[in-house]
């Protein structure tokens, strides 16, 4: 079992009239090598779930084991280390640094891995090649299209060779063809062994995952396995 959360709650303004249960008693297990989509309407708790699973946010209550480690026991420093080593993040807004070119953006997470500058650039170029962006290595985000920026963001997420990739609406801002290309890259990474957790409100995108966990009002309402086979 790679990921195991049990009775997780994320409650804002607990006890007040404005209380929101972004996650309302969620339990989930994810095995190594799965491709899971977390689906649900706006406000259902998807991003909260990814932030908890990605150790970016601490739940109000509940238990979380990542690869056998009880992460609720860890210090901020230890959490940061786990994030850098185990998880590659892809965000809807790409989150690239505007002042840096593509290569520098992808090199950034490698700084904490104790590699020389030459090794870092090799790894970063390899990741950019992987997503078909080697030719734009010295372009800044403002000089790239949305789809190209998202591919650079994927390169940044995979450069450290993390076993887990978490993507929050990675295709949300892209046209359907570009979005499909991004999805193909994720599927290929999954075939090569990466565990993928994909957040989406789009059922067509979710259908291409091997498992769909549906959230509604912070609760898991369905958990289906098997591909729906609606891919292009
Ligand atoms: N800091 C906060 N304070 C109070 N409520 C919050 C906070 N962050 C999120 N929420 C609430 O928690 C609920 C879940 O939010 P979340 O961002 O996880 O939804 P989502 O499924 O990702 O939605 P979307 O598809 O719009 O991104 C929402 O009702 C939201 O308003
Ligand atoms: Mg969200």
């Amino acid at each position: 079992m790679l990921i195991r959360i049990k009775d997780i709650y994320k409650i804002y303004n607990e006890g007040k009239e404005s209380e929101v249960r972004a996650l309302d008693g969620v339990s989930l297990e994810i095995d190594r090598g799965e491709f899971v989509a977390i689906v649900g309407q706006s406000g259902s708790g998807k991003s909260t779930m990814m932030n908890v699973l990605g150790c970016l946010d601490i739940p109000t209550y509940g238990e979380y084991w990542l690869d056998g480690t009880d992460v609720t026991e860890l210090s901020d420093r230890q959490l940061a280390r786990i994030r850098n080593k185990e998880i590659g993040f892809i965000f809807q807004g790409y989150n690239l640094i505007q002042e840096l070119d593509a290569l520098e953006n992808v090199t950034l997470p490698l700084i904490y891995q104790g590699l020389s500058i030459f090794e870092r650039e090799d790894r970063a170029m390899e990741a950019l090649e992987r997503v078909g962006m080697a030719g734009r290595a010295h372009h800044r985000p403002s000089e790239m299209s949305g789809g190209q920026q998202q591919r650079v963001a994927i390169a940044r997420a995979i450069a450290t060779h993390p076993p887990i990739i978490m993507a929050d609406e990675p295709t949300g801002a892209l046209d359907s063809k570009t979005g499909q290309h991004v999805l193909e890259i994720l599927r290929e990474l999954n075939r090569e062994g990466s565990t993928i957790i994909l957040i989406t409100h789009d059922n067509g995108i979710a259908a291409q995952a091997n498992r769909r966990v549906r959230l509604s009002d912070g609760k898991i309402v369905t958990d289906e396995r098997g591909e729906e086979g609606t891919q292009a």
Side-chain angles (χ1 to χ4, degrees), residues 10-13 18-23 39-51 57 92 168-169 199-201 215 217-218:
K10 180 72 192 184
I11 306 176
Y12 294 104
N13 306 324
S18 54
E19 178 176 295
V20 176
R21 295 185 167 213
L23 293 175
V39 234
Q41 291 181 341
S42 179
S44 59
K46 304 183 299 295
S47 294
T48 309
M49 177 92 139
M50 171 165 137
N51 292 340
D57 198 358
Q92 177 167 1
D168 193 351
E169 300 278 6
I199 307 283
T200 181
H201 65 276
L215 283 175
D217 289 334

PDB file of all heavy atoms in Angstrom, residues 10-13 18-23 39-51 57 92 168-169 199-201 215 217-218, ligand 1:
ATOM      1  N   LYS A  10     -10.968  17.789   6.945  1.00  0.00           N
ATOM      2  CA  LYS A  10     -10.363  19.116   6.873  1.00  0.00           C
ATOM      3  C   LYS A  10     -11.500  20.099   7.102  1.00  0.00           C
ATOM      4  O   LYS A  10     -12.408  20.218   6.258  1.00  0.00           O
ATOM      5  CB  LYS A  10      -9.707  19.357   5.509  1.00  0.00           C
ATOM      6  CG  LYS A  10      -9.068  20.716   5.381  1.00  0.00           C
ATOM      7  CD  LYS A  10      -7.796  20.820   6.225  1.00  0.00           C
ATOM      8  CE  LYS A  10      -7.310  22.246   6.336  1.00  0.00           C
ATOM      9  NZ  LYS A  10      -6.019  22.322   7.065  1.00  0.00           N
ATOM     10  N   ILE A  11     -11.496  20.709   8.253  1.00  0.00           N
ATOM     11  CA  ILE A  11     -12.617  21.556   8.661  1.00  0.00           C
ATOM     12  C   ILE A  11     -12.129  22.990   8.829  1.00  0.00           C
ATOM     13  O   ILE A  11     -11.162  23.240   9.557  1.00  0.00           O
ATOM     14  CB  ILE A  11     -13.233  21.040   9.982  1.00  0.00           C
ATOM     15  CG1 ILE A  11     -13.600  19.546   9.836  1.00  0.00           C
ATOM     16  CG2 ILE A  11     -14.464  21.876  10.366  1.00  0.00           C
ATOM     17  CD1 ILE A  11     -14.136  18.899  11.101  1.00  0.00           C
ATOM     18  N   TYR A  12     -12.765  23.903   8.123  1.00  0.00           N
ATOM     19  CA  TYR A  12     -12.473  25.317   8.296  1.00  0.00           C
ATOM     20  C   TYR A  12     -13.492  25.929   9.244  1.00  0.00           C
ATOM     21  O   TYR A  12     -14.666  25.567   9.197  1.00  0.00           O
ATOM     22  CB  TYR A  12     -12.520  26.049   6.950  1.00  0.00           C
ATOM     23  CG  TYR A  12     -11.430  25.614   5.998  1.00  0.00           C
ATOM     24  CD1 TYR A  12     -11.701  24.780   4.922  1.00  0.00           C
ATOM     25  CD2 TYR A  12     -10.102  26.016   6.199  1.00  0.00           C
ATOM     26  CE1 TYR A  12     -10.702  24.374   4.055  1.00  0.00           C
ATOM     27  CE2 TYR A  12      -9.095  25.610   5.334  1.00  0.00           C
ATOM     28  CZ  TYR A  12      -9.398  24.793   4.266  1.00  0.00           C
ATOM     29  OH  TYR A  12      -8.404  24.386   3.421  1.00  0.00           O
ATOM     30  N   ASN A  13     -13.048  26.840  10.090  1.00  0.00           N
ATOM     31  CA  ASN A  13     -13.925  27.549  11.044  1.00  0.00           C
ATOM     32  C   ASN A  13     -14.754  26.560  11.866  1.00  0.00           C
ATOM     33  O   ASN A  13     -15.966  26.725  12.011  1.00  0.00           O
ATOM     34  CB  ASN A  13     -14.865  28.516  10.311  1.00  0.00           C
ATOM     35  CG  ASN A  13     -14.093  29.473   9.420  1.00  0.00           C
ATOM     36  OD1 ASN A  13     -12.994  29.904   9.756  1.00  0.00           O
ATOM     37  ND2 ASN A  13     -14.671  29.791   8.269  1.00  0.00           N
ATOM     38  N   SER A  18     -19.926  29.503  10.154  1.00  0.00           N
ATOM     39  CA  SER A  18     -19.311  29.447   8.825  1.00  0.00           C
ATOM     40  C   SER A  18     -18.511  28.161   8.595  1.00  0.00           C
ATOM     41  O   SER A  18     -17.733  28.072   7.665  1.00  0.00           O
ATOM     42  CB  SER A  18     -18.393  30.655   8.662  1.00  0.00           C
ATOM     43  OG  SER A  18     -17.473  30.687   9.741  1.00  0.00           O
ATOM     44  N   GLU A  19     -18.714  27.163   9.451  1.00  0.00           N
ATOM     45  CA  GLU A  19     -17.938  25.927   9.331  1.00  0.00           C
ATOM     46  C   GLU A  19     -18.073  25.286   7.943  1.00  0.00           C
ATOM     47  O   GLU A  19     -19.179  25.185   7.411  1.00  0.00           O
ATOM     48  CB  GLU A  19     -18.394  24.918  10.389  1.00  0.00           C
ATOM     49  CG  GLU A  19     -17.670  23.583  10.287  1.00  0.00           C
ATOM     50  CD  GLU A  19     -18.042  22.606  11.406  1.00  0.00           C
ATOM     51  OE1 GLU A  19     -17.738  22.882  12.579  1.00  0.00           O
ATOM     52  OE2 GLU A  19     -18.641  21.567  11.084  1.00  0.00           O
ATOM     53  N   VAL A  20     -16.931  24.894   7.378  1.00  0.00           N
ATOM     54  CA  VAL A  20     -16.931  24.165   6.105  1.00  0.00           C
ATOM     55  C   VAL A  20     -16.144  22.876   6.293  1.00  0.00           C
ATOM     56  O   VAL A  20     -15.010  22.904   6.769  1.00  0.00           O
ATOM     57  CB  VAL A  20     -16.246  24.984   4.980  1.00  0.00           C
ATOM     58  CG1 VAL A  20     -16.174  24.160   3.684  1.00  0.00           C
ATOM     59  CG2 VAL A  20     -16.977  26.288   4.713  1.00  0.00           C
ATOM     60  N   ARG A  21     -16.767  21.767   5.943  1.00  0.00           N
ATOM     61  CA  ARG A  21     -16.052  20.498   5.979  1.00  0.00           C
ATOM     62  C   ARG A  21     -15.579  20.176   4.571  1.00  0.00           C
ATOM     63  O   ARG A  21     -16.288  19.544   3.794  1.00  0.00           O
ATOM     64  CB  ARG A  21     -16.958  19.395   6.503  1.00  0.00           C
ATOM     65  CG  ARG A  21     -17.351  19.648   7.935  1.00  0.00           C
ATOM     66  CD  ARG A  21     -18.141  18.504   8.513  1.00  0.00           C
ATOM     67  NE  ARG A  21     -18.212  18.663   9.956  1.00  0.00           N
ATOM     68  CZ  ARG A  21     -18.236  17.649  10.799  1.00  0.00           C
ATOM     69  NH1 ARG A  21     -18.223  16.404  10.369  1.00  0.00           N
ATOM     70  NH2 ARG A  21     -18.291  17.870  12.095  1.00  0.00           N
ATOM     71  N   ALA A  22     -14.382  20.663   4.241  1.00  0.00           N
ATOM     72  CA  ALA A  22     -13.839  20.461   2.892  1.00  0.00           C
ATOM     73  C   ALA A  22     -13.579  18.981   2.655  1.00  0.00           C
ATOM     74  O   ALA A  22     -13.776  18.475   1.550  1.00  0.00           O
ATOM     75  CB  ALA A  22     -12.569  21.276   2.719  1.00  0.00           C
ATOM     76  N   LEU A  23     -13.139  18.277   3.681  1.00  0.00           N
ATOM     77  CA  LEU A  23     -13.070  16.816   3.655  1.00  0.00           C
ATOM     78  C   LEU A  23     -13.811  16.340   4.898  1.00  0.00           C
ATOM     79  O   LEU A  23     -13.546  16.802   6.009  1.00  0.00           O
ATOM     80  CB  LEU A  23     -11.627  16.308   3.651  1.00  0.00           C
ATOM     81  CG  LEU A  23     -10.816  16.617   2.389  1.00  0.00           C
ATOM     82  CD1 LEU A  23      -9.370  16.158   2.556  1.00  0.00           C
ATOM     83  CD2 LEU A  23     -11.422  15.995   1.139  1.00  0.00           C
ATOM     84  N   VAL A  39     -12.458  12.896  -8.881  1.00  0.00           N
ATOM     85  CA  VAL A  39     -13.439  13.674  -9.644  1.00  0.00           C
ATOM     86  C   VAL A  39     -14.460  14.322  -8.720  1.00  0.00           C
ATOM     87  O   VAL A  39     -14.681  13.847  -7.607  1.00  0.00           O
ATOM     88  CB  VAL A  39     -14.246  12.789 -10.622  1.00  0.00           C
ATOM     89  CG1 VAL A  39     -14.182  13.310 -12.027  1.00  0.00           C
ATOM     90  CG2 VAL A  39     -13.864  11.337 -10.565  1.00  0.00           C
ATOM     91  N   GLY A  40     -15.100  15.351  -9.220  1.00  0.00           N
ATOM     92  CA  GLY A  40     -16.153  15.984  -8.433  1.00  0.00           C
ATOM     93  C   GLY A  40     -16.376  17.406  -8.893  1.00  0.00           C
ATOM     94  O   GLY A  40     -15.535  17.995  -9.572  1.00  0.00           O
ATOM     95  N   GLN A  41     -17.510  17.958  -8.479  1.00  0.00           N
ATOM     96  CA  GLN A  41     -17.859  19.314  -8.878  1.00  0.00           C
ATOM     97  C   GLN A  41     -16.988  20.325  -8.152  1.00  0.00           C
ATOM     98  O   GLN A  41     -16.327  19.999  -7.169  1.00  0.00           O
ATOM     99  CB  GLN A  41     -19.328  19.573  -8.544  1.00  0.00           C
ATOM    100  CG  GLN A  41     -20.263  18.763  -9.418  1.00  0.00           C
ATOM    101  CD  GLN A  41     -21.712  19.037  -9.092  1.00  0.00           C
ATOM    102  OE1 GLN A  41     -22.037  19.549  -8.022  1.00  0.00           O
ATOM    103  NE2 GLN A  41     -22.592  18.670 -10.008  1.00  0.00           N
ATOM    104  N   SER A  42     -17.066  21.557  -8.612  1.00  0.00           N
ATOM    105  CA  SER A  42     -16.352  22.650  -7.961  1.00  0.00           C
ATOM    106  C   SER A  42     -16.780  22.732  -6.490  1.00  0.00           C
ATOM    107  O   SER A  42     -17.967  22.680  -6.192  1.00  0.00           O
ATOM    108  CB  SER A  42     -16.679  23.959  -8.682  1.00  0.00           C
ATOM    109  OG  SER A  42     -16.027  25.023  -8.048  1.00  0.00           O
ATOM    110  N   GLY A  43     -15.799  22.800  -5.606  1.00  0.00           N
ATOM    111  CA  GLY A  43     -16.092  22.911  -4.181  1.00  0.00           C
ATOM    112  C   GLY A  43     -16.282  21.575  -3.471  1.00  0.00           C
ATOM    113  O   GLY A  43     -16.527  21.537  -2.268  1.00  0.00           O
ATOM    114  N   SER A  44     -16.129  20.460  -4.203  1.00  0.00           N
ATOM    115  CA  SER A  44     -16.376  19.145  -3.598  1.00  0.00           C
ATOM    116  C   SER A  44     -15.230  18.674  -2.701  1.00  0.00           C
ATOM    117  O   SER A  44     -15.388  17.713  -1.957  1.00  0.00           O
ATOM    118  CB  SER A  44     -16.658  18.107  -4.695  1.00  0.00           C
ATOM    119  OG  SER A  44     -15.574  18.024  -5.591  1.00  0.00           O
ATOM    120  N   GLY A  45     -14.073  19.350  -2.801  1.00  0.00           N
ATOM    121  CA  GLY A  45     -12.955  18.990  -1.924  1.00  0.00           C
ATOM    122  C   GLY A  45     -11.746  18.400  -2.634  1.00  0.00           C
ATOM    123  O   GLY A  45     -10.816  17.912  -1.985  1.00  0.00           O
ATOM    124  N   LYS A  46     -11.734  18.458  -3.970  1.00  0.00           N
ATOM    125  CA  LYS A  46     -10.655  17.821  -4.743  1.00  0.00           C
ATOM    126  C   LYS A  46      -9.274  18.403  -4.430  1.00  0.00           C
ATOM    127  O   LYS A  46      -8.330  17.663  -4.171  1.00  0.00           O
ATOM    128  CB  LYS A  46     -10.927  17.956  -6.254  1.00  0.00           C
ATOM    129  CG  LYS A  46     -12.267  17.408  -6.694  1.00  0.00           C
ATOM    130  CD  LYS A  46     -12.445  17.515  -8.194  1.00  0.00           C
ATOM    131  CE  LYS A  46     -12.416  18.924  -8.731  1.00  0.00           C
ATOM    132  NZ  LYS A  46     -13.541  19.783  -8.260  1.00  0.00           N
ATOM    133  N   SER A  47      -9.172  19.731  -4.486  1.00  0.00           N
ATOM    134  CA  SER A  47      -7.853  20.341  -4.249  1.00  0.00           C
ATOM    135  C   SER A  47      -7.412  20.135  -2.804  1.00  0.00           C
ATOM    136  O   SER A  47      -6.230  19.894  -2.536  1.00  0.00           O
ATOM    137  CB  SER A  47      -7.882  21.836  -4.578  1.00  0.00           C
ATOM    138  OG  SER A  47      -8.090  22.025  -5.960  1.00  0.00           O
ATOM    139  N   THR A  48      -8.382  20.194  -1.895  1.00  0.00           N
ATOM    140  CA  THR A  48      -8.063  19.937  -0.488  1.00  0.00           C
ATOM    141  C   THR A  48      -7.487  18.532  -0.349  1.00  0.00           C
ATOM    142  O   THR A  48      -6.501  18.313   0.350  1.00  0.00           O
ATOM    143  CB  THR A  48      -9.340  20.074   0.373  1.00  0.00           C
ATOM    144  OG1 THR A  48      -9.958  21.321   0.071  1.00  0.00           O
ATOM    145  CG2 THR A  48      -9.020  19.999   1.846  1.00  0.00           C
ATOM    146  N   MET A  49      -8.124  17.589  -1.051  1.00  0.00           N
ATOM    147  CA  MET A  49      -7.668  16.202  -1.014  1.00  0.00           C
ATOM    148  C   MET A  49      -6.248  16.092  -1.562  1.00  0.00           C
ATOM    149  O   MET A  49      -5.394  15.433  -0.962  1.00  0.00           O
ATOM    150  CB  MET A  49      -8.622  15.363  -1.870  1.00  0.00           C
ATOM    151  CG  MET A  49      -8.228  13.940  -1.966  1.00  0.00           C
ATOM    152  SD  MET A  49      -9.028  13.022  -0.665  1.00  0.00           S
ATOM    153  CE  MET A  49      -9.446  11.589  -1.592  1.00  0.00           C
ATOM    154  N   MET A  50      -5.978  16.743  -2.696  1.00  0.00           N
ATOM    155  CA  MET A  50      -4.625  16.665  -3.254  1.00  0.00           C
ATOM    156  C   MET A  50      -3.621  17.311  -2.301  1.00  0.00           C
ATOM    157  O   MET A  50      -2.526  16.795  -2.114  1.00  0.00           O
ATOM    158  CB  MET A  50      -4.561  17.334  -4.625  1.00  0.00           C
ATOM    159  CG  MET A  50      -3.118  17.461  -5.103  1.00  0.00           C
ATOM    160  SD  MET A  50      -2.928  17.827  -6.837  1.00  0.00           S
ATOM    161  CE  MET A  50      -1.635  19.068  -6.737  1.00  0.00           C
ATOM    162  N   ASN A  51      -4.002  18.423  -1.696  1.00  0.00           N
ATOM    163  CA  ASN A  51      -3.070  19.093  -0.780  1.00  0.00           C
ATOM    164  C   ASN A  51      -2.750  18.232   0.433  1.00  0.00           C
ATOM    165  O   ASN A  51      -1.614  18.225   0.905  1.00  0.00           O
ATOM    166  CB  ASN A  51      -3.625  20.454  -0.364  1.00  0.00           C
ATOM    167  CG  ASN A  51      -3.641  21.428  -1.534  1.00  0.00           C
ATOM    168  OD1 ASN A  51      -2.933  21.248  -2.518  1.00  0.00           O
ATOM    169  ND2 ASN A  51      -4.464  22.460  -1.431  1.00  0.00           N
ATOM    170  N   ASP A  57      -0.766  20.239   2.981  1.00  0.00           N
ATOM    171  CA  ASP A  57      -1.734  20.730   3.950  1.00  0.00           C
ATOM    172  C   ASP A  57      -1.942  19.632   4.998  1.00  0.00           C
ATOM    173  O   ASP A  57      -1.881  18.441   4.672  1.00  0.00           O
ATOM    174  CB  ASP A  57      -3.057  21.016   3.215  1.00  0.00           C
ATOM    175  CG  ASP A  57      -3.975  21.916   4.016  1.00  0.00           C
ATOM    176  OD1 ASP A  57      -3.609  22.297   5.147  1.00  0.00           O
ATOM    177  OD2 ASP A  57      -5.058  22.235   3.505  1.00  0.00           O
ATOM    178  N   GLN A  92      -2.716  23.561 -11.939  1.00  0.00           N
ATOM    179  CA  GLN A  92      -3.488  24.092 -13.062  1.00  0.00           C
ATOM    180  C   GLN A  92      -2.854  25.357 -13.632  1.00  0.00           C
ATOM    181  O   GLN A  92      -2.794  25.566 -14.823  1.00  0.00           O
ATOM    182  CB  GLN A  92      -4.914  24.399 -12.609  1.00  0.00           C
ATOM    183  CG  GLN A  92      -5.743  25.033 -13.712  1.00  0.00           C
ATOM    184  CD  GLN A  92      -7.221  25.047 -13.384  1.00  0.00           C
ATOM    185  OE1 GLN A  92      -7.637  24.605 -12.323  1.00  0.00           O
ATOM    186  NE2 GLN A  92      -8.015  25.530 -14.311  1.00  0.00           N
ATOM    187  N   ASP A 168      -3.260  18.641 -10.378  1.00  0.00           N
ATOM    188  CA  ASP A 168      -4.556  19.273 -10.105  1.00  0.00           C
ATOM    189  C   ASP A 168      -5.024  19.975 -11.375  1.00  0.00           C
ATOM    190  O   ASP A 168      -4.455  20.988 -11.774  1.00  0.00           O
ATOM    191  CB  ASP A 168      -4.404  20.281  -8.957  1.00  0.00           C
ATOM    192  CG  ASP A 168      -5.753  20.749  -8.410  1.00  0.00           C
ATOM    193  OD1 ASP A 168      -6.796  20.440  -9.017  1.00  0.00           O
ATOM    194  OD2 ASP A 168      -5.761  21.436  -7.371  1.00  0.00           O
ATOM    195  N   GLU A 169      -6.036  19.434 -12.012  1.00  0.00           N
ATOM    196  CA  GLU A 169      -6.605  20.004 -13.244  1.00  0.00           C
ATOM    197  C   GLU A 169      -5.519  20.347 -14.270  1.00  0.00           C
ATOM    198  O   GLU A 169      -5.467  21.480 -14.757  1.00  0.00           O
ATOM    199  CB  GLU A 169      -7.408  21.272 -12.934  1.00  0.00           C
ATOM    200  CG  GLU A 169      -8.572  21.066 -11.985  1.00  0.00           C
ATOM    201  CD  GLU A 169      -9.831  20.522 -12.661  1.00  0.00           C
ATOM    202  OE1 GLU A 169      -9.782  20.190 -13.879  1.00  0.00           O
ATOM    203  OE2 GLU A 169     -10.861  20.407 -11.968  1.00  0.00           O
ATOM    204  N   ILE A 199      -6.429  15.134 -10.532  1.00  0.00           N
ATOM    205  CA  ILE A 199      -7.639  15.819 -10.086  1.00  0.00           C
ATOM    206  C   ILE A 199      -8.315  16.429 -11.304  1.00  0.00           C
ATOM    207  O   ILE A 199      -7.661  17.120 -12.097  1.00  0.00           O
ATOM    208  CB  ILE A 199      -7.267  16.995  -9.135  1.00  0.00           C
ATOM    209  CG1 ILE A 199      -6.376  16.534  -7.995  1.00  0.00           C
ATOM    210  CG2 ILE A 199      -8.512  17.735  -8.679  1.00  0.00           C
ATOM    211  CD1 ILE A 199      -7.062  15.820  -6.909  1.00  0.00           C
ATOM    212  N   THR A 200      -9.604  16.171 -11.463  1.00  0.00           N
ATOM    213  CA  THR A 200     -10.316  16.774 -12.592  1.00  0.00           C
ATOM    214  C   THR A 200     -11.812  16.885 -12.311  1.00  0.00           C
ATOM    215  O   THR A 200     -12.368  16.098 -11.550  1.00  0.00           O
ATOM    216  CB  THR A 200     -10.071  15.974 -13.889  1.00  0.00           C
ATOM    217  OG1 THR A 200     -10.756  16.610 -14.962  1.00  0.00           O
ATOM    218  CG2 THR A 200     -10.550  14.538 -13.778  1.00  0.00           C
ATOM    219  N   HIS A 201     -12.456  17.894 -12.923  1.00  0.00           N
ATOM    220  CA  HIS A 201     -13.916  17.967 -12.825  1.00  0.00           C
ATOM    221  C   HIS A 201     -14.522  17.407 -14.120  1.00  0.00           C
ATOM    222  O   HIS A 201     -15.721  17.336 -14.265  1.00  0.00           O
ATOM    223  CB  HIS A 201     -14.367  19.412 -12.621  1.00  0.00           C
ATOM    224  CG  HIS A 201     -14.062  20.275 -13.806  1.00  0.00           C
ATOM    225  ND1 HIS A 201     -12.847  20.869 -14.000  1.00  0.00           N
ATOM    226  CD2 HIS A 201     -14.804  20.566 -14.884  1.00  0.00           C
ATOM    227  CE1 HIS A 201     -12.861  21.523 -15.143  1.00  0.00           C
ATOM    228  NE2 HIS A 201     -14.043  21.350 -15.709  1.00  0.00           N
ATOM    229  N   LEU A 215     -15.837  12.651  -5.406  1.00  0.00           N
ATOM    230  CA  LEU A 215     -16.098  13.396  -4.168  1.00  0.00           C
ATOM    231  C   LEU A 215     -17.345  14.244  -4.332  1.00  0.00           C
ATOM    232  O   LEU A 215     -17.595  14.791  -5.406  1.00  0.00           O
ATOM    233  CB  LEU A 215     -14.933  14.344  -3.864  1.00  0.00           C
ATOM    234  CG  LEU A 215     -13.644  13.781  -3.287  1.00  0.00           C
ATOM    235  CD1 LEU A 215     -12.608  14.896  -3.181  1.00  0.00           C
ATOM    236  CD2 LEU A 215     -13.883  13.169  -1.918  1.00  0.00           C
ATOM    237  N   ASP A 217     -19.349  17.079  -1.645  1.00  0.00           N
ATOM    238  CA  ASP A 217     -19.395  17.687  -0.309  1.00  0.00           C
ATOM    239  C   ASP A 217     -18.387  17.076   0.652  1.00  0.00           C
ATOM    240  O   ASP A 217     -18.705  16.803   1.819  1.00  0.00           O
ATOM    241  CB  ASP A 217     -20.804  17.553   0.288  1.00  0.00           C
ATOM    242  CG  ASP A 217     -21.796  18.458  -0.418  1.00  0.00           C
ATOM    243  OD1 ASP A 217     -21.363  19.485  -0.968  1.00  0.00           O
ATOM    244  OD2 ASP A 217     -22.994  18.118  -0.431  1.00  0.00           O
ATOM    245  N   GLY A 218     -17.176  16.834   0.161  1.00  0.00           N
ATOM    246  CA  GLY A 218     -16.105  16.354   1.036  1.00  0.00           C
ATOM    247  C   GLY A 218     -16.167  14.880   1.387  1.00  0.00           C
ATOM    248  O   GLY A 218     -15.396  14.410   2.217  1.00  0.00           O
TER     249      GLY A 218
HETATM  250  N1  LIG B   1      -9.068  28.436   3.383  1.00  0.00           N
HETATM  251  C1  LIG B   1     -10.355  28.089   3.339  1.00  0.00           C
HETATM  252  N2  LIG B   1     -11.243  28.581   4.227  1.00  0.00           N
HETATM  253  C2  LIG B   1     -12.534  28.214   4.201  1.00  0.00           C
HETATM  254  N3  LIG B   1     -13.059  27.355   3.303  1.00  0.00           N
HETATM  255  C3  LIG B   1     -12.235  26.840   2.392  1.00  0.00           C
HETATM  256  C4  LIG B   1     -10.840  27.158   2.338  1.00  0.00           C
HETATM  257  N4  LIG B   1     -10.269  26.478   1.320  1.00  0.00           N
HETATM  258  C5  LIG B   1     -11.263  25.770   0.748  1.00  0.00           C
HETATM  259  N5  LIG B   1     -12.441  25.981   1.382  1.00  0.00           N
HETATM  260  C6  LIG B   1     -13.740  25.352   1.047  1.00  0.00           C
HETATM  261  O1  LIG B   1     -13.576  23.955   1.035  1.00  0.00           O
HETATM  262  C7  LIG B   1     -14.391  23.373   0.016  1.00  0.00           C
HETATM  263  C8  LIG B   1     -13.534  22.486  -0.884  1.00  0.00           C
HETATM  264  O2  LIG B   1     -12.636  23.313  -1.614  1.00  0.00           O
HETATM  265  P1  LIG B   1     -11.662  22.719  -2.724  1.00  0.00           P
HETATM  266  O3  LIG B   1     -10.765  23.816  -3.146  1.00  0.00           O
HETATM  267  O4  LIG B   1     -11.023  21.487  -2.201  1.00  0.00           O
HETATM  268  O5  LIG B   1     -12.694  22.326  -3.885  1.00  0.00           O
HETATM  269  P2  LIG B   1     -12.401  21.753  -5.357  1.00  0.00           P
HETATM  270  O6  LIG B   1     -13.176  20.498  -5.482  1.00  0.00           O
HETATM  271  O7  LIG B   1     -10.953  21.717  -5.614  1.00  0.00           O
HETATM  272  O8  LIG B   1     -13.115  22.853  -6.279  1.00  0.00           O
HETATM  273  P3  LIG B   1     -12.667  23.426  -7.743  1.00  0.00           P
HETATM  274  O9  LIG B   1     -13.095  22.406  -8.735  1.00  0.00           O
HETATM  275  O10 LIG B   1     -13.476  24.686  -7.836  1.00  0.00           O
HETATM  276  O11 LIG B   1     -11.185  23.670  -7.720  1.00  0.00           O
HETATM  277  C9  LIG B   1     -15.066  24.517  -0.701  1.00  0.00           C
HETATM  278  O12 LIG B   1     -16.377  24.656  -0.203  1.00  0.00           O
HETATM  279  C10 LIG B   1     -14.230  25.725  -0.321  1.00  0.00           C
HETATM  280  O13 LIG B   1     -15.011  26.898  -0.315  1.00  0.00           O
END
